[in-house]
Amino acid sequence: MLLSLNWLREFVPYEGTAEELGERLTMLGLELEEIRHPYEEIRDVVVGRVLTCDMHPDSDHLHVCTVDVGGDEPLSIVCGAPNVAAGQLVPVAPVGSKLPGGVQIKKAKLRGVLSCGMICSERELALTDDHSGILVLPECNRAGKKLELGRRLVDELEFDQEVLDISITPNRADCLSVLGFAREVSAAFGLPLTLPRVELEEVGEDISSTLPVEILDPDHCPAYTGRMLEGAQVGPSPAWMRWRLHGVGIRPISNLVDVTNYVLMELGQPLHAFDHNKLAGRRIIVRRAEAGERLVTLDGQERLLEAGDGLICDAERPVALAGVMGGLATEISEETKSVFIECALFKPQIVRRTSRRLGLSSESSYRYERGVDQTGMTFALDRAAALMAELSGGRVLKGVCRNEPRPYVAPSIRFRRSRAEDLLGVDLENDFCIKTLRSLGCGVEPAGEGEWSVSVPGWRCYDLSREADLIEEVARFRGMDAMPATLPAIRPCLEHFGKPEGRHDFMMRVKRWAAGMGLNEAVNYSFVGNRDLDHLHLPQDGRVQILNPLTAEQDVLRTELAPGLLNDVRYNIAQGATGLRLFEVAESFRKDAASETGVRECRRLGFVLYGSRYDSAWLHEDADMDYADLKGIIVHFIRDFLHMSVPAFEIIEGHPYLAPAVRLLADGRDAGVLGRVRPDMADAYHARRDVWLADLDLDLLRELSAGVRRAFHPLPVFPPVRRDMTVRAKAGLKVEDILTCIRVAGRSSKNPILESVELIDLYEPGCGQGHATDERNLTFRLTFRHAERTLQDAEVDKEREKIAASLLQALPVNI
């Protein structure tokens, strides 16, 4: 946000320097990036008056002028501008001065006549692109003071010579205007705040009902107002407005359009001016777009709309993208005489989604996306109407076209001094807390000893929504730098006992579990390269492209965690690592038209295992990690950490980068995938051993685990009895099918005593000897236990035989 110091001083009587102001605002959380001097290149240009203007004796287009610049003698200047004339006040660049672009002014002879300076046009002063003639100055500046000859042009016209470039955090939409900063400065320095005077004269009959405003979706548009201006003459804005807009980075266009931009920067309220005669049916309809509708915006581009985009329509067609950009069909032109001034409020999420999807950002959308003050709409509309009437000679018609289905209701927030002291670790005074909150525009009413009910003003309703936000405001004005560097006392508190676990707390608990499992955390950028995704054969659909990537290797948001984890494998192998056990908790991103941002974020949990199972040590044999290691980590996570039932695993074919690939099913829902990275793909990451990778849907697993009800059982008193059973089966038979059959058979007994069953050994006859068969021997360990007595061997053997018979009957196996 560019803040002109002169403009700010029209709201608050601040007398300090720009540097002092920037330092104070930085300590309040509004960081100063730099102080700009937009007119530094023309600081040597002075005000002069043309005394005489004669034709050059050897030219049919040059003029020989004598110009008074306040010196002992007038200057002789040769000028080629067609509009130069005697008596004019003009900007003069004297000999020795410099103009934008490094142009040095020197004495020169033009066709035999000495020229001692230059009378400048707007383009030569880098103010606009107009070079049709010299810039003719008014006799007085905006304040009514006569311009003095020989004085600096930037001083006489009160140009905004110091402009602060201040970084605004997304939550401080109220500071996207001069008024917003004035409120901060007023509170910080204890200065009075003065709003600009609005001298609005209304004429004619009341037009409130002649241009009806219909809002079809109040959630999208809580308020819409407008005024009418008749008899306007479109032309250039006065110099003071053009230079002020130029100083804060906005290109002047015309008097009517410039007023909307001026009020936008001054008050933070986006406005739009329609040519009223081009509005079909003389009505306004605010609605959501239907898929496939089209609109040509002011930049001349045809926009294809999607369902849900916000539209401003007349009786026949869309005329503007709500909160983003107006339509070309109703733009202000030189023929415009009747103007409808729109001042509205739109839902930030809808404006943000439309702007991001179309790649169309404007000063208006930037503010609507962060939130606009509903309570300031009437003042902004009146201010704009008065300025338009003043600059265009038009007449403001009586009445306001208004539809406000959801009037602003100030939220009331509880504020406790004791709570603020606990959070900040410092002592506070009641008077200081009350004074600070009131200086920010809040209403403060007592609600008990050391407690108040605080009503939030409209310009801070997007930022101040809970008690902690109010405490932050108190801390800002007390001074973050004045906080003592001491650790706060930690007191046991049962306030949150039994409440649902927050998303952040859950993620931190997952990270602690993974670290406890001996895994190292990987933290990767959300940006990857399209080449990374293409290498893994990931689909093009759903990719979120970066419009202005930092590098070609980071031009898209990741759709899966695999690219980042595999790059971690490559990096660690290059550093000599022989074994890797990594995990990552991060988001993946995919396009989603239903999302308010146009992008769906999903929290994922990724694992990657590579190389030696154990660190280098003589106690362990050298063996590489395999599928069993990866599956064991996942089973432990779901069963022992999330306390869910043991998940199911299903082999899948045709996975883009895993072979074999296994789908993880939690409560019957697809919760992720695991498997071995295809060797030809792993080779690109310098992997010479198998790379095992898993990518789990952490949001889904958290949702499922939240519904788990934990139950506690007494510890077993009587000893278990274990029996092993070796099953000979075809290689294609799933182990899970055998386990399920054993469990079902064990539970079918009148008095079931089978406690658990697990696979403990696998033998494939002939494997490694060149004559492998399609059979394998699977050894399962069955654990039996009775809750009330010690089991006898006979009854255990009988139960084992029963399970074996059931297995032989149900599956094609031998025992």
Side-chain angles (χ1 to χ4, degrees), residues 763-781:
Y763 173 65
E764 296 179 348
C767 183
Q769 300 177 14
H771 51 277
T773 67
D774 62 346
E775 288 190 345
R776 55 182 181 171
N777 296 337
L778 305 166
T779 301
F780 297 90
R781 177 157 294 167

Side-chain angles (χ1 to χ4, degrees), residues 389-659:
E390 175 188 345
L391 303 186
S392 70
R395 305 179 306 278
V396 180
L397 301 186
K398 184 179 180 181
V400 177
C401 304
R402 184 188 305 276
N403 190 345
E404 193 169 10
R406 295 188 178 176
Y408 177 74
V409 178
S412 181
I413 303 174
R414 180 188 188 191
F415 178 82
R416 296 164 291 173
R417 191 197 68 204
S418 59
R419 178 60 177 160
E421 291 177 338
D422 289 342
L423 282 181
L424 302 179
V426 297
D427 294 329
L428 300 170
E429 296 180 357
N430 289 349
D431 291 344
F432 175 78
C433 296
I434 295 173
K435 179 182 177 182
T436 298
L437 295 175
R438 284 180 175 165
S439 70
L440 297 174
C442 297
V444 182
E445 297 295 334
E449 181 62 30
E451 183 176 329
W452 299 271
S453 176
V454 179
S455 58
V456 179
W459 59 85
R460 294 300 300 274
C461 65
Y462 300 94
D463 180 33
L464 305 181
S465 59
R466 52 182 182 162
E467 186 178 21
D469 298 328
L470 299 178
I471 294 173
E472 180 186 7
E473 296 303 301
V474 172
R476 282 200 309 128
F477 283 90
R478 188 185 186 278
M480 296 293 189
D481 54 333
M483 297 289 181
T486 57
L487 290 174
I490 299 177
R491 303 180 180 90
C493 178
L494 298 178
E495 181 180 352
H496 302 289
F497 181 78
K499 292 185 178 180
E501 182 181 38
R503 187 171 185 261
H504 175 75
D505 291 338
F506 174 78
M507 300 305 171
M508 294 305 296
R509 195 159 59 89
V510 169
K511 292 184 179 183
R512 289 193 294 269
W513 165 84
M517 288 290 291
L519 304 172
N520 294 312
E521 184 177 7
V523 180
N524 294 303
Y525 287 114
S526 300
F527 307 117
V528 296
N530 274 292
R531 289 188 302 177
D532 295 321
L533 302 182
D534 292 340
H535 176 71
L536 297 179
H537 297 168
L538 293 172
Q540 292 279 345
D541 294 342
R543 295 187 188 180
V544 182
Q545 305 292 337
I546 307 301
L547 294 179
N548 297 300
L550 295 175
T551 67
E553 289 74 28
Q554 295 181 326
D555 57 356
V556 66
L557 287 172
R558 62 186 172 211
T559 56
E560 297 192 14
L561 301 187
L565 289 172
L566 290 175
N567 279 316
D568 294 333
V569 171
R570 173 166 50 195
Y571 177 80
N572 282 272
I573 290 175
Q575 303 304 313
T578 59
L580 288 175
R581 295 175 290 276
L582 303 178
F583 79 95
E584 182 177 16
V585 177
E587 280 84 8
S588 64
F589 306 87
R590 289 184 181 275
K591 286 185 178 179
D592 183 2
S595 171
E596 67 180 56
T597 61
V599 178
R600 181 179 74 255
E601 300 182 24
C602 180
R603 184 63 63 93
R604 313 290 297 186
L605 172 60
F607 301 102
V608 65
L609 305 180
Y610 170 79
S612 301
R613 178 175 289 119
Y614 305 108
D615 294 331
S616 298
W618 63 273
L619 289 174
H620 302 293
E621 62 177 334
D622 185 17
D624 287 350
M625 288 178 282
D626 55 22
Y627 173 74
D629 296 277
L630 185 61
K631 180 180 178 182
I633 291 173
I634 293 173
V635 170
H636 185 277
F637 174 69
I638 294 177
R639 183 186 63 189
D640 299 326
F641 178 77
L642 299 180
H643 305 288
M644 297 167 57
S645 58
V646 176
F649 296 88
E650 178 182 277
I651 296 177
I652 55 178
E653 301 292 340
H655 191 274
Y657 57 87
L658 296 179

